[in-house]
Structure formats: C-alpha cells, structure tokens
C-alpha cells in the first residue's frame, strides 16, 4: 500500500465507476481493480461493493477514504516543506493549455517568485493537449499539463492534477436563461462553437450529439478557448467551457449555463514529463506546484467546479 494506491481508492470512491477512474488515472480497469483488491486483502475488509455499472462504498470504505485523504494531505504538506528548503534553479519550459494558464499560472508563478527566484519559467500555451504532449520527446518543453496524456507510460511520468467541470454556455441574446434541460437534439438546433478537429473535447462534442441527436448541428470550430468564449458572449453560438473559467461572465450576465441531459463529462488534467530527463527535478516540482494551485482553487469556487483527489 502506498500513496498512489490511496489516491486510487479516493478517486474510485468519488467516481463510483471503474471505467471513469481508469480514464482519469490513465490506467487499465484491471490495474485499478488489482490495486483495490490488494488493499482489501491487506486490510481484511471490503472497501467497495461491486455492481454491474458502478460501485458503492462500504461503511469501512468511507472510514478508510477519510483517513486516506488526511494521509495524502499530510504527505503533500511534508513534501512541500522539504522541497521549499532546496531552492530550484535554471530554466523550466512549461506547456500549458489555455484553461490551465488562466486558472493555475498566477499561483504557480507567485510561488516560484517567493520560494524559487532563480527559476526562469518559459511558458508555451496551446489549446491542443495532445500537441503539447508530443513536444516532450522532442525536448521542446520539459513538462506540460494535458487532458490527453500518452497512452504508454513507459517513458513518461504522469501525475493527476485536477478535474474541471464542463458546461454549455451561451449569451442571453441567443438563448434566454431557463431551468429546463436541453437534450442533445434540442441543443443541436442552435449554432454550436466546438473545439478544433482532432482534440479531445472536439471528439466529446461529437459523441455528445451522436448519442442523442439525429440532426447534425451547425458547427463553428475554433482552436482558441478565448475566441470561443468571446463568440459565445457575442451571441454567435453555444460553446462548451470549463465552469471555473466563466464565473465572472456568469456573474455579470454576459453568459449563462444551458443545462443538458445527459451532462457533458468533466475534463481531467495531468502533469506529464519525460522520465529520467535532465529536467526531472524541476518538472516534478512544477507538477506539485500545479496541484497546490488547483487545491487552492477548490476554496474559491462552488463544489464540483474544480476537484482534486484530496480536496473534498
């Protein structure tokens, strides 16, 4: 039993679904199941009851998860204290999707200035997660935050950072606010601002409409999150955005959320870097700073807008 095993239990208790947890942690379902079984065998108690499509947490599991969160919290605090005692230095080339740049970079850069002033952070932003990942073997960046980690972990280190709730948003000039839930077919009658072809969320948008709509939506594609948000605010169409990014727009009324059934799946982000690279020490530290910044966000936003494993 180790920290990674404890995090697996916490995520499964949150997701209640082996498939969802395996996708979140970028592991196979048998690997997730094996970790849970090993812990249950070591404890001699069942933490989960398996059902056809989901799992439920047993009373013993609820107690274990609560203590596991506390262990991880204390572990992170210990690692942070000791990492800060050894100042980092040099250049770190950091690939960041636009959503993460808006949400996490301010806190990351503030911490670096205070505790590691010798570090020079070179940031490359891009809305295409898989493009950022491809830059790692080319040594054009040292670490990236991505929603699409490599399928094989043989040459990579992958650490989950946070999960963002995703919502359909539109200007009240296009659609009046309503408590009604749109079906994919109803939503497809509106102009849809989607992500660039080939991206993870572009596929998810296609799957969303394909699962419940016989109509092909009118798509406007954009490779810029900021552009998509601007178009939505101007009534050009409905777009899918991280809920954490549009809190100001929701407050001032320039955007509102369109509730749908089914809801759109959240987007999980991970930090990825090359194993045994020269920049591994700095990359690991940046990954931990990213987790700290994400954890801080959980105190600023409503529940389930941003989630990390030990944030409940």
């Amino acid at each position: 039993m180790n920290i990674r095993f404890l995090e697996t239990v916490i995520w499964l208790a949150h997701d209640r679904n082996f498939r969802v947890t395996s996708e979140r942690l970028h592991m196979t379902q048998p690997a997730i199941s094996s970790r849970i079984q090993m812990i249950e065998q070591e404890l001699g108690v069942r933490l989960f009851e398996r059902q056809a499509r989901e799992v439920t947490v047993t009373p013993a599991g609820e107690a274990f998860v609560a203590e596991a969160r506390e262990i991880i919290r204390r572990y992170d605090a210990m690692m942070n204290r000791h990492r800060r005692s050894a100042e980092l230095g040099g250049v770190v080339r950091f690939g960041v999707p636009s959503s993460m740049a808006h949400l996490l970079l301010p806190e990351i850069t503030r911490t670096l200035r205070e505790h590691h002033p010798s570090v020079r952070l070179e940031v490359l932003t891009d809305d295409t997660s898989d493009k950022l990942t491809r830059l790692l073997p080319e040594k054009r960046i040292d670490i990236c935050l991505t929603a699409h980690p490599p399928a094989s972990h043989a040459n990579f280190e992958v650490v989950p950072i946070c999960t963002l709730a995703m919502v359909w948003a539109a200007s009240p000039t296009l659609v009046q606010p309503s408590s009604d839930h749109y079906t994919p077919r109803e939503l497809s009658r509106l102009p849809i601002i989607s992500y660039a072809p080939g991206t993870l969320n572009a596929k998810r948008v296609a799957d969303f409409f394909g699962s419940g709509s016989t109509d092909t939506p009118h798509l406007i594609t954009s490779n810029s999150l900021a552009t998509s948000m601007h178009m939505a605010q101007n009534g050009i169409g409905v777009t899918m955005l991280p809920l954490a990014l549009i809190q100001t727009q929701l407050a001032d009324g320039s955007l509102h959320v369109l509730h749908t059934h089914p809801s759109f799946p959240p987007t999980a982000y991970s930090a990825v870097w090359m194993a045994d690279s020269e920049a591994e020490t700095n990359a690991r530290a940046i990954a931990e700073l990213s987790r700290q910044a994400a954890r801080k966000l959980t105190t600023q936003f409503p529940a389930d807008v941003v989630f990390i494993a030990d944030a409940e």
Side-chain angles (χ1 to χ4, degrees), residues 94 104 108 145 161 271 285-295:
F94 190 20
L104 302 187
I108 292 171
L145 300 183
I161 299 299
I286 294 297
E288 179 54 35
L289 290 181
S290 300
R291 274 182 65 86
Q292 291 179 39
R295 187 179 297 110

Side-chain angles (χ1 to χ4, degrees), residues 30 33 56 86 99 105 107 114 128 174 190 212 239 244 255 265 276 295:
S33 180
T56 57
S99 54
L105 269 184
E107 179 66 16
E114 290 182 2
T128 309
L174 179 67
L190 299 170
T239 192
L255 285 176
D276 300 322
R295 187 179 297 110

